[in-house]
Amino acid sequence: MSVTPTGTARGKRNVLGVLVDATDYATATAQIIEAAREHRPFAVTALAVHGVMTGVQDRAHNARLNSFDLVTPDGQPVRWALNLLHGAGLQDRVYGPTLTLKVVEQAAAEGLPVYLYGSTQPTLDRLVPALQGMFPALKIAGVEASKFRSSKPGEAAEIAERIKASGARVVLVGLGCPRQEIFTYAMRPYLDMPLLAVGAAFDYHAGLLKNPPAWMQKYALEWLWRLGLEPKRLWKRYVLLNPAYLSRLAAQKLGVWKATPPAPATEPVHDFAV
C-alpha cells in the first residue's frame, strides 16, 4: 500500500472480492497517459455497483477484473466501500464519463491519437464531432461500431491490426458492462496501448443520455436517475443488485464474509462480444 502526503491510502483494495484502486482523477489520468506514451498495454475500467456485482456473481469474470491494471471507483457506493473497509479517504469517485474526458483532453494536448470502439454508428457519428468540439486538437485515429455478435476465430488479431494501423495510442471501448471488460481483457495482449472500458460515456458525450443533477450524483442517487430513463432495461440491475451489494458490503465489514479475491486471470478469452 502507498500513502499520499495527506494520509490517503492508494493502491488496489478488496471490495467484495473485486480489486478496486483507491485513486483519483489526476492519478488515473496520469497512469493512462504514461502507458500511452510508453507504448505499454494497460487495461482500465471504471466500476459502479453493477460492475462490482458482475464479479461477485461470476468468479471467472472476477479474476479477469482482478487482472486489470486500473479499476476506478465509478460509483459513490464503491468509493464509500473503499473508505469504509480500507480507510482510503477518497473525496470523490472516479466516474467513467468524466475520466474519459480528462484522458481525451490530455491525449489531445500531447498529440496522442484516440480510437473509438463500440456502440452504434449513429452514436459514433454524433460522438466524434462532440469530442472534437470540446478538444479541437484531438486526433481521432479511427472509429469502429460494435458488430453486436460474438467474435470469430482470429478476429481479435484482426481488430488489433486495424487499431495499430490507425496510429492510435489510446482505445476507448464502449460496449456496456460486462462485455466491454471482457473485450478489454481479451484485446490487452494484442495491443501496446491503454484500453479503457468507458461504459455509457459514448452515449453521454454524444448527447444521447443526460447526466443527473450534481446533488443526485453526490448522494449516490444516479441509479434512480438512470432507472427513470431506462426502466425496462435497468430495473433488475438496480432493484436486485443494489440491496445485494449493500448486504455483502456489511458482511465483509463485519468479518462474517472474507470476500477472498480470486487470483488475476491469465488465460485467454476466445469468445467475446465485438
Side-chain angles (χ1 to χ4, degrees), residues 138-185:
L138 176 64
K139 297 177 181 178
I140 296 182
V143 297
E144 189 168 342
S146 173
K147 286 79 176 167
F148 297 96
R149 59 168 172 77
S150 294
S151 60
K152 299 176 181 178
E155 191 165 12
E158 294 171 4
I159 293 171
E161 283 305 313
R162 289 196 295 273
I163 293 172
K164 288 188 287 188
S166 75
R169 296 305 325 137
V170 178
V171 184
L172 304 180
V173 183
L175 292 171
C177 177
R179 295 182 300 277
Q180 61 193 8
E181 284 80 18
I182 300 172
F183 178 94
T184 297
Y185 174 86

Side-chain angles (χ1 to χ4, degrees), residues 59-243:
R59 197 161 177 83
H61 187 61
N62 194 341
R64 288 191 291 268
L65 293 174
N66 288 353
S67 76
F68 272 51
D69 300 281
L70 180 63
V71 176
T72 74
D74 177 275
Q76 295 290 8
V78 181
R79 176 181 70 88
W80 294 342
L82 289 169
N83 290 346
L84 176 69
L85 297 172
H86 307 291
L90 296 177
Q91 298 300 308
D92 196 6
R93 62 177 176 165
V94 181
Y95 181 45
T98 301
L99 179 63
T100 297
L101 291 185
K102 292 183 180 294
V103 169
V104 169
E105 180 180 26
Q106 191 60 33
E110 298 194 20
L112 299 168
V114 172
Y115 198 97
L116 308 176
Y117 188 98
S119 194
T120 66
Q121 193 61 50
T123 298
L124 293 172
D125 289 342
R126 295 183 59 161
L127 178 62
V128 169
L131 291 177
Q132 290 177 326
M134 287 185 274
F135 311 108
L138 176 64
K139 297 177 181 178
I140 296 182
V143 297
E144 189 168 342
S146 173
K147 286 79 176 167
F148 297 96
R149 59 168 172 77
S150 294
S151 60
K152 299 176 181 178
E155 191 165 12
E158 294 171 4
I159 293 171
E161 283 305 313
R162 289 196 295 273
I163 293 172
K164 288 188 287 188
S166 75
R169 296 305 325 137
V170 178
V171 184
L172 304 180
V173 183
L175 292 171
C177 177
R179 295 182 300 277
Q180 61 193 8
E181 284 80 18
I182 300 172
F183 178 94
T184 297
Y185 174 86
M187 295 301 300
R188 184 184 187 276
Y190 293 90
L191 293 167
D192 60 348
M193 65 191 75
L195 293 105
L196 284 68
V198 298
F202 284 12
D203 288 335
Y204 278 120
H205 300 318
L208 299 175
L209 283 178
K210 296 176 66 175
N211 274 309
W215 69 269
M216 293 190 80
Q217 297 184 49
K218 180 179 180 181
Y219 293 106
L221 293 174
E222 186 172 359
W223 68 272
L224 189 59
W225 175 270
R226 291 286 308 277
L227 182 61
L229 292 176
E230 303 178 87
K232 290 184 179 179
R233 187 174 76 87
L234 297 178
W235 76 268
K236 286 185 179 180
R237 174 187 299 188
Y238 296 125
V239 174
L240 300 181
L241 291 186
N242 284 5

